[in-house]
Amino acid sequence: MASFSLDDIRAAAERKYGSTDITFGEDVVRLLNPLRLPKTRRDALLSLQEEMSKDDTDQAELLAQAIRTIAESEKAADKLLGVVDGDLAILAEIFGHYGESTQVGEASASQG
């Protein structure tokens, strides 16, 4: 019979569904995997992603809101967004890296 401790399961979840960490200067913002977000924040992220697909939306503002939604710390997210200063290309790259890292976890989960 297989036996696992809750600590084993937590460690496995962190490996599979860990954060995407963005370092800037001395600071780090942790962007949490959607599966690790509370339901209200997952729902907010889904809503923002739906808004992004519509015409005539402010993509930079929506990406900034998405980063605030997925960030572990609102203060760290605000610091990062202050440094980025609305640069849509950088915001898109941040969210792109986040998307790639979360898809890896989701793909791994569906294989088991």
Side-chain angles (χ1 to χ4, degrees):
M1 172 188 288
S3 176
F4 301 95
S5 72
L6 185 54
D7 287 341
D8 293 337
I9 293 169
R10 283 185 178 129
E14 185 60 30
R15 281 190 305 275
K16 198 178 269 190
Y17 307 107
S19 65
T20 300
D21 298 349
I22 308 291
T23 302
F24 56 106
E26 299 284 319
D27 297 303
V28 175
V29 64
R30 293 186 76 211
L31 306 178
L32 302 176
N33 184 295
L35 296 176
R36 306 299 296 272
L37 293 171
K39 182 173 178 2
T40 55
R41 288 172 64 189
R42 280 194 313 269
D43 291 345
L45 178 60
L46 181 59
S47 176
L48 286 166
Q49 289 174 316
E50 289 171 1
E51 281 295 312
M52 285 180 211
S53 67
K54 295 180 181 177
D55 292 334
D56 299 328
T57 59
D58 183 344
Q59 294 294 311
E61 180 56 34
L62 290 173
L63 286 168
Q65 287 179 27
I67 290 169
R68 283 188 187 96
T69 301
I70 59 179
E72 181 177 57
S73 159
E74 187 176 336
K75 182 179 177 181
D78 286 340
K79 273 183 140 180
L80 173 66
L81 293 169
V83 172
V84 170
D85 195 28
D87 185 322
L88 183 55
I90 294 174
L91 290 167
E93 279 295 311
I94 290 169
F95 206 74
H97 284 292
Y98 171 76
E100 289 172 12
S101 68
T102 59
Q103 286 177 359
V104 169
E106 290 171 3
S108 296
S110 66
Q111 292 172 358

